[in-house]
Amino acid sequence: MGNTFLNLALLIIFHFSMPTFSMKLTTILTDQSALLALKDHVIHDPENVLTTNWSASAPVCNWFGVSCGSKHRRVTALNLTGLGLVGTLPPHLGNLSFLSLLYVRNNSFYGGLPVQLSNLRRLKYLNFGNNSFSGEIPSWLGSLTELRRLFLGQNNFKGVIPFSLGYLSKLEFLYLFGNQISGSIPSTIFNISSLQEIYLSYNMLSGSIPSVPRDLLLLEVIDFTSNNLTGHIPKDMFDHLPNLKGLYWSLNLLSGRIPASLFKCKELQMLSLSYNQMEGSLPIEIGNLSMLQYIYIGRNHFEGEIPKQIVNLTLLMAFDCSHSNFTGIIPQEIGNLKNLNWLNLAFNNIAGSIPPQVFNISTLRTISLDTNQLSGHLPSNMGLFLPNMEQLYLDFNHLAGSIPMLEGEIPEGGSFGNYSIESSKGNEALCGAARLHVPNCKTRPLRNSKAKTKLILYVALPIASTILVVALIIIILQNKRRKDKLPTQEDMIPLGTWRRFSYHELRQATDGFNDSRLLGNGSYGSVFQGTLPDGTIIAVKVFKLELETAFKSFDVECDVLRNTRHRNLVKVISSCSNDINFKALVLEFMPNGSLDKWLYSNKQYLDILQRLNIMIDVASALEYLHHGNATPVVHCDLKTNNILLDEDMVAHLSDFGIAKLLCEEASMIQTMTMATFGYMAPEYGMEGIVSTKGDVYSFGILLMEIITRKKPTDEMFAGERSLKSWVIESISSSLNQVVDPKLLSTIGREYLKVKNCALSILQVGLECCVELPNERLHMKEIVTKLKKIKVTLLRDMERVR
Ligand SMILES: *[C@@H]1O[C@H](CO)[C@@H](O)[C@H](O)[C@H]1NC(C)=O
Ligand SMILES: *[C@@H]1O[C@H](CO)[C@@H](O)[C@H](O)[C@H]1NC(C)=O
Ligand SMILES: *[C@@H]1O[C@H](CO)[C@@H](O)[C@H](O)[C@H]1NC(C)=O
Ligand SMILES: *[C@@H]1O[C@H](CO)[C@@H](O)[C@H](O)[C@H]1NC(C)=O
Ligand SMILES: *[C@@H]1O[C@H](CO)[C@@H](O)[C@H](O)[C@H]1NC(C)=O
Ligand SMILES: *[C@@H]1O[C@H](CO)[C@@H](O)[C@H](O)[C@H]1NC(C)=O
Ligand SMILES: *[C@@H]1O[C@H](CO)[C@@H](O)[C@H](O)[C@H]1NC(C)=O
Ligand SMILES: *[C@@H]1O[C@H](CO)[C@@H](O)[C@H](O)[C@H]1NC(C)=O
Ligand SMILES: *[C@@H]1O[C@H](CO)[C@@H](O)[C@H](O)[C@H]1NC(C)=O
Ligand SMILES: *[C@@H]1O[C@H](CO)[C@@H](O)[C@H](O)[C@H]1NC(C)=O
Ligand SMILES: *[C@@H]1O[C@H](CO)[C@@H](O)[C@H](O)[C@H]1NC(C)=O
Ligand SMILES: *[C@@H]1O[C@H](CO)[C@@H](O)[C@H](O)[C@H]1NC(C)=O
């Protein structure tokens, strides 16, 4: 109270004597009174953050959750995420005219959004998610034209999505999921070219899906799950979505067929259409969407055969086409799906036998084949190859034979009341109560007990002479996922799913490791080109075993590559480590060789678009390594030699010999391994600190190198001068001196367009290479920035033509 009075007194005095200063003071006080009004409107503050911290005696810029501009000292960001606050938003917040970020996520604010917030013209990031806001989604949101992110999910908003949101021409993320929004999806939404993700799931939206009128090159996710959307999917829906990764449309009332335009979405990873009323077949072109990881199309009225082409989707982790009218057989080649966790074909009309290859997919956790027309015998040794199996449903088929080798504890009671030794024929590994005449579990430790896994089997066996209807559920009580663990010696050994080659096969394939087949040498050993008897061309990386580091290199590389799969990483076909004296990796052959060769050879030339595509490829690979796995992988040795080009000039990152796996707690580790001088981040060079931020630094150097065509190790970079400082120096004066003259050899507008693009890329490069690791960009941001540069470049090219 006393302080407010003092401030007021000061304000009055200055108001008359020092007009400029008083203006500034007035505005700071405006911000202060707006925040104090917010404090007043909070009726419950369980952690006493506002109560104790937001004191009028301290400058607002020091208050918890408040950030100010460094010059004008006005409030630019207010972040009150997750403080358990209960209250309403006062109209005074509309006076925070410099605000660009307003986050109150994960609290219990209620009531409507005051119209005064429409004055916040600088607002870029608005997150009101997971509160209890109610009322309509206000149409004035459409006037906040700087908005990039609008998060209103998990509230009680009702009414329709205002048409005006289509005016938010810079919007990237729109999250309105988990409200009670009704009406149809406004057609203007898909007119926002900057859109990246749209989540409208778990609402009450009706009407049909609007079509997409223009290319949305950044749009990766469309989530309409659980609404009441009806009608056919527009035929041309996917003509403008080349980068769509996630399509989540299940739990609606969509009808009609899958439109052929879907197969233009080459990046698609998730196709979710289950629980709709769709019909027709699953087209064979599904096999062309090679990035697919999840296909959920169950609970529809699809018919026809399951296309054999799905066996080519080697990244597939889940396939569910249950509860439809699919016919045909399960193709033998299903064994190719080495990443499959979940296979659900239940409640269809699938016939034939179950190919034994199904039981060779060691990643499988759930198999549901129940209620089909399957016949034949189960393979006798299937249990051996399903180490991760949790549930297996085979009931209501025409399967014959006895239950194959299974092991674990048989529970008592329930459907096991009638279980007898007869039922467990061929199941010598089963154990249970003495009454069941099977071995006692306590005295017979489970084979898998080392992996701390306990098995329990539920087996119901209505036996009819030779025909056995089997319902079988295996529940692994303790999940033995080991994703969070650092690799131990034991984890390194099984290189499970890869095809194995003997030393002799590899020797033959490479003409006895002939020098004429040598592709390159490194500190770890040599790489040879080889040809398998079936004509496949491979690259064989042979490790020098005299060196202890090469030995370790092999193990690390195996471990990284075994756990990672991405189109921009070099694929491992096999490892050969049977012989103690010979360790080799069999890799996909990259016919176009290394980026280094393309960049520095006088015969070859990469234009700006090819170079940009390569940068995006490498950035995507790094984004995946850093953020796509439970255990982040740091590559540690990014350079042009380690980037290989396939026949389509798609770049693949290779050479994981000194890569590091970071466990979840440690975001960085210290190491003594030497990376390549010139690309190394300063903290790595000086203190051996490894973190994903070090890769970001090297990536920045790489960007500069690709644009300037100058190696960071070039002799012109001696003493204080480095590639980075040279770029900084020249970028501010005359750019032409740094950009590769080969790129700028064009004339007129073409020249300008290339120059602009090169300049933008160099700027991203510099942002990657700032000294302080924490201030460097995140790989995801880098990918987005590069993609945007590409969009601009393509647009400019269009104009030039
Ligand atoms: C308020 O919180 C900020 C940020 O946590 C802290 O720096 C400041 O010292 C706190 N002030 C008071 C008065 O508690
Ligand atoms: C907002 O605050 C939360 C919790 O303190 C923090 O996790 C989050 O990163 C902050 N977000 C921004 C954009 O500052
Ligand atoms: C701020 O906003 C409130 C309510 O919208 C208004 O009453 C007040 O006069 C405004 N100005 C200042 C300087 O607080
Ligand atoms: C909100 O809370 C959930 C659950 O506690 C948490 O997972 C999420 O990260 C929180 N969101 C933010 C922005 O802090
Ligand atoms: C929502 O926020 C509350 C805290 O207010 C948190 O406990 C809860 O987990 C959050 N829910 C989600 C889904 O983020
Ligand atoms: C779509 O956006 C363009 C400009 O970005 C605008 O001219 C056009 O009117 C918009 N169309 C609709 C239907 O909103
Ligand atoms: C869909 O519409 C039906 C009938 O109009 C209604 O009962 C149901 O709750 C709606 N579902 C959703 C998710 O809005
Ligand atoms: C799909 O792949 C097949 C070969 O597997 C090819 O013949 C066909 O042209 C491809 N279709 C499209 C639409 O890309
Ligand atoms: C399968 O086809 C039959 C006969 O045409 C039909 O009665 C049934 O509803 C269909 N089932 C599904 C799930 O579409
Ligand atoms: C799988 O892909 C390979 C190579 O693209 C092709 O030759 C083969 O025909 C495809 N298999 C199926 C079943 O589509
Ligand atoms: C399954 O894998 C085992 C061991 O790798 C192999 O011996 C067997 O031939 C495979 N079976 C089929 C049907 O591929
Ligand atoms: C056990 O057998 C008896 C007699 O055959 C039968 O009535 C009962 O339903 C069976 N119980 C189970 C759980 O199968």
Side-chain angles (χ1 to χ4, degrees):
M1 181 61 202
N3 279 316
T4 321
F5 179 74
L6 191 66
N7 284 336
L8 213 62
L10 275 173
L11 175 66
I12 293 163
I13 293 163
F14 283 121
H15 206 23
F16 292 102
S17 55
M18 297 174 69
T20 20
F21 181 59
S22 83
M23 281 257 301
K24 207 167 170 185
L25 193 62
T26 309
T27 47
I28 293 171
L29 288 179
T30 310
D31 286 356
Q32 191 195 53
S33 61
L35 294 177
L36 288 176
L38 174 62
K39 182 178 168 182
D40 275 352
H41 280 70
V42 168
I43 57 175
H44 185 52
D45 177 8
E47 294 175 29
N48 287 322
V49 173
L50 306 193
T51 331
T52 59
N53 188 292
W54 283 24
S55 137
S57 62
V60 277
C61 299
N62 294 351
W63 290 2
F64 181 89
V66 176
S67 311
C68 295
S70 54
K71 294 223 178 68
H72 53 61
R73 308 303 291 163
R74 296 289 311 272
V75 174
T76 55
L78 178 58
N79 179 4
L80 300 177
T81 297
L83 298 177
L85 303 175
V86 182
T88 55
L89 297 184
H92 309 71
L93 284 185
N95 293 343
L96 295 171
S97 47
F98 277 74
L99 206 61
S100 87
L101 180 145
L102 177 54
Y103 274 20
V104 298
R105 205 199 132 115
N106 282 2
N107 285 291
S108 300
F109 283 98
Y110 56 91
L113 305 183
V115 65
Q116 287 79 0
L117 295 182
S118 64
N119 296 332
L120 303 178
R121 297 304 164 115
R122 291 186 168 89
L123 212 51
K124 286 187 182 165
Y125 309 102
L126 184 61
N127 193 334
F128 289 165
N130 189 19
N131 279 281
S132 302
F133 288 111
S134 57
E136 306 226 321
I137 294 181
S139 61
W140 51 255
L141 282 171
S143 64
L144 300 177
T145 51
E146 288 300 312
L147 271 187
R148 307 307 200 262
R149 297 175 184 211
L150 178 57
F151 290 20
L152 303 178
Q154 296 164 291
N155 280 290
N156 297 321
F157 288 110
K158 293 196 181 63
V160 302
I161 301 177
F163 185 85
S164 61
L165 294 192
Y167 304 141
L168 298 175
S169 62
K170 295 177 180 166
L171 196 66
E172 294 167 358
F173 297 88
L174 178 62
Y175 284 41
L176 304 180
F177 62 91
N179 283 290
Q180 292 146 47
I181 305 170
S182 54
S184 53
I185 301 172
S187 58
T188 50
I189 289 292
F190 285 133
N191 198 25
I192 304 176
S193 61
S194 51
L195 212 55
Q196 291 180 26
E197 296 183 356
I198 173 166
Y199 287 81
L200 306 181
S201 45
Y202 300 96
N203 278 296
M204 290 150 66
L205 294 164
S206 55
S208 52
I209 291 177
S211 54
V212 178
R214 53 149 78 188
D215 280 352
L216 299 181
L217 297 177
L218 304 171
L219 183 47
E220 293 191 351
V221 177
I222 309 181
D223 185 354
F224 294 159
T225 306
S226 192
N227 280 287
N228 262 343
L229 298 171
T230 53
H232 293 196
I233 300 173
K235 262 205 177 68
D236 54 0
M237 180 83 207
F238 304 103
D239 284 342
H240 301 289
L241 300 169
N243 290 313
L244 188 65
K245 292 202 169 89
L247 184 133
Y248 300 80
W249 292 1
S250 52
L251 294 159
N252 278 290
L253 303 167
L254 299 171
S255 55
R257 295 166 166 267
I258 296 179
S261 61
L262 177 70
F263 304 107
K264 294 184 178 172
C265 301
K266 298 284 185 220
E267 302 287 321
L268 200 65
Q269 294 174 6
M270 161 65 83
L271 174 62
S272 176
L273 289 170
S274 41
Y275 288 90
N276 276 290
Q277 296 171 8
M278 299 195 55
E279 58 192 31
S281 59
L282 178 61
I284 57 173
E285 287 84 4
I286 192 80
N288 291 26
L289 299 182
S290 59
M291 302 305 285
L292 271 175
Q293 294 179 17
Y294 306 92
I295 301 178
Y296 297 112
I297 54 168
R299 305 266 180 178
N300 278 288
H301 306 305
F302 290 119
E303 58 193 15
E305 297 194 358
I306 295 176
K308 200 175 165 189
Q309 283 73 7
I310 63 154
V311 306
N312 267 2
L313 301 176
T314 48
L315 301 181
L316 204 60
M317 296 205 267
F319 181 63
D320 182 344
C321 68
S322 61
H323 294 266
S324 258
N325 264 334
F326 281 107
T327 55
I329 59 163
I330 306 174
Q332 280 188 12
E333 296 85 351
I334 194 158
N336 292 354
L337 301 179
K338 294 290 184 218
N339 294 306
L340 202 62
N341 287 314
W342 171 277
L343 176 65
N344 188 353
L345 311 180
F347 288 85
N348 279 293
N349 292 312
I350 297 162
S353 58
I354 304 177
Q357 285 83 353
V358 170
F359 301 106
N360 257 18
I361 306 176
S362 59
T363 45
L364 272 172
R365 293 175 186 278
T366 297
I367 306 180
S368 307
L369 304 176
D370 49 307
T371 321
N372 274 295
Q373 309 290 333
L374 295 164
S375 55
H377 286 258
L378 294 176
S380 57
N381 54 357
M382 66 185 220
L384 294 178
F385 302 118
L386 296 170
N388 293 307
M389 181 60 61
E390 286 164 15
Q391 301 188 25
L392 174 61
Y393 299 88
L394 300 171
D395 45 329
F396 296 100
N397 278 295
H398 310 298
L399 298 167
S402 55
I403 314 173
M405 273 303 274
L406 295 169
E407 61 174 17
E409 184 175 6
I410 301 163
E412 294 194 61
S415 52
F416 301 90
N418 292 349
Y419 195 93
S420 74
I421 190 68
E422 264 73 37
S423 315
S424 67
K425 230 179 204 162
N427 289 295
E428 283 85 11
L430 290 173
C431 58
R435 183 180 62 73
L436 301 173
H437 303 286
V438 289
N440 184 308
C441 293
K442 293 218 179 67
T443 58
R444 246 181 113 264
L446 296 175
R447 185 188 53 165
N448 275 341
S449 61
K450 204 166 139 215
K452 293 206 181 71
T453 305
K454 196 171 168 196
L455 285 174
I456 288 197
L457 305 182
Y458 290 83
V459 190
L461 295 174
I463 299 170
S465 60
T466 59
I467 309 229
L468 235 166
V469 186
V470 182
L472 193 148
I473 306 169
I474 304 174
I475 297 173
I476 296 189
L477 282 183
Q478 245 175 314
N479 207 334
K480 61 167 175 135
R481 281 189 299 169
R482 48 167 199 234
K483 57 169 188 172
D484 299 337
K485 226 171 40 162
L486 268 178
T488 64
Q489 213 50 38
E490 262 172 34
D491 291 335
M492 299 273 196
I493 298 161
L495 292 167
T497 55
W498 296 336
R499 173 178 165 193
R500 283 184 185 278
F501 292 91
S502 68
Y503 172 74
H504 288 287
E505 280 173 289
L506 294 183
R507 195 186 155 86
Q508 246 168 5
T510 56
D511 283 346
F513 303 105
N514 196 310
D515 276 353
S516 66
R517 299 292 201 105
L518 191 66
L519 293 172
N521 275 314
S523 53
Y524 52 82
S526 316
V527 184
F528 295 89
Q529 179 176 341
T531 313
L532 295 178
D534 68 4
T536 313
I537 301 185
I538 53 174
V540 184
K541 181 167 179 178
V542 182
F543 290 77
K544 263 191 241 161
L545 296 181
E546 314 83 86
L547 300 174
E548 199 184 304
T549 49
F551 218 92
K552 210 173 141 211
S553 202
F554 172 82
D555 286 342
V556 172
E557 187 148 18
C558 280
D559 206 58
V560 170
L561 293 171
R562 182 154 50 91
N563 291 307
T564 51
R565 276 167 199 87
H566 189 274
R567 73 186 280 264
N568 301 115
L569 296 180
V570 169
K571 202 168 82 195
V572 177
I573 298 170
S574 168
S575 72
C576 175
S577 60
N578 292 355
D579 192 328
I580 292 192
N581 300 312
F582 180 73
K583 282 196 191 287
L585 275 177
V586 180
L587 305 166
E588 199 179 8
F589 176 65
M590 295 284 148
N592 273 320
S594 74
L595 172 61
D596 195 75
K597 188 187 81 178
W598 277 83
L599 214 48
Y600 296 104
S601 137
N602 286 323
K603 289 191 218 107
Q604 282 142 331
Y605 168 69
L606 293 170
D607 65 25
I608 185 79
L609 184 59
Q610 283 173 311
R611 293 188 200 197
L612 185 51
N613 283 336
I614 289 171
M615 295 169 186
I616 293 174
D617 287 340
V618 176
S620 308
L622 286 175
E623 182 194 357
Y624 168 80
L625 289 175
H626 292 179
H627 309 290
N629 289 293
T631 307
V633 177
V634 187
H635 184 279
C636 294
D637 200 9
L638 209 55
K639 55 180 170 180
T640 47
N641 284 321
N642 290 342
I643 294 163
L644 303 179
L645 303 169
D646 69 13
E647 70 252 53
D648 299 317
M649 295 301 282
V650 173
H652 299 249
L653 188 53
S654 79
D655 213 325
F656 292 82
I658 63 168
K660 296 284 175 305
L661 295 110
L662 303 180
C663 59
E664 237 163 12
E665 309 82 66
S667 66
M668 55 174 228
I669 52 177
Q670 264 184 312
T671 167
M672 296 302 287
T673 327
M674 281 312 281
T676 306
F677 184 73
Y679 296 87
M680 257 187 287
E683 74 276 9
Y684 185 16
M686 279 158 14
E687 299 159 63
I689 289 178
V690 170
S691 75
T692 53
K693 297 291 183 189
D695 276 355
V696 171
Y697 186 95
S698 309
F699 183 74
I701 298 290
L702 188 76
L703 292 185
M704 295 184 218
E705 177 180 359
I706 296 175
I707 291 299
T708 59
R709 199 163 161 268
K710 277 276 185 295
K711 279 193 176 300
T713 49
D714 194 292
E715 54 193 31
M716 72 179 276
F717 303 125
E720 289 300 341
R721 188 187 228 188
S722 65
L723 175 57
K724 179 178 148 189
S725 69
W726 183 56
V727 168
I728 294 175
E729 234 170 76
S730 323
I731 217 167
S732 40
S733 53
S734 147
L735 175 66
N736 313 14
Q737 286 172 7
V738 281
V739 176
D740 178 6
K742 282 184 169 186
L743 276 180
L744 294 177
S745 59
T746 49
I747 43 161
R749 296 166 76 179
E750 184 92 2
Y751 170 91
L752 265 182
K753 152 199 109 185
V754 173
K755 188 172 151 176
N756 284 342
C757 179
L759 179 63
S760 315
I761 294 170
L762 288 177
Q763 262 154 1
V764 176
L766 289 174
E767 286 179 65
C768 295
C769 290
V770 291
E771 290 301 295
L772 290 179
N774 283 337
E775 283 174 19
R776 290 177 204 149
L777 294 174
H778 192 273
M779 260 352 272
K780 199 171 168 77
E781 292 168 314
I782 298 170
V783 172
T784 310
K785 276 181 188 257
L786 291 175
K787 282 187 177 167
K788 278 187 183 156
I789 293 175
K790 181 173 166 183
V791 171
T792 309
L793 177 68
L794 292 176
R795 206 181 51 211
D796 289 350
M797 281 180 164
E798 209 67 43
R799 287 212 194 107
V800 170
R801 280 195 210 106

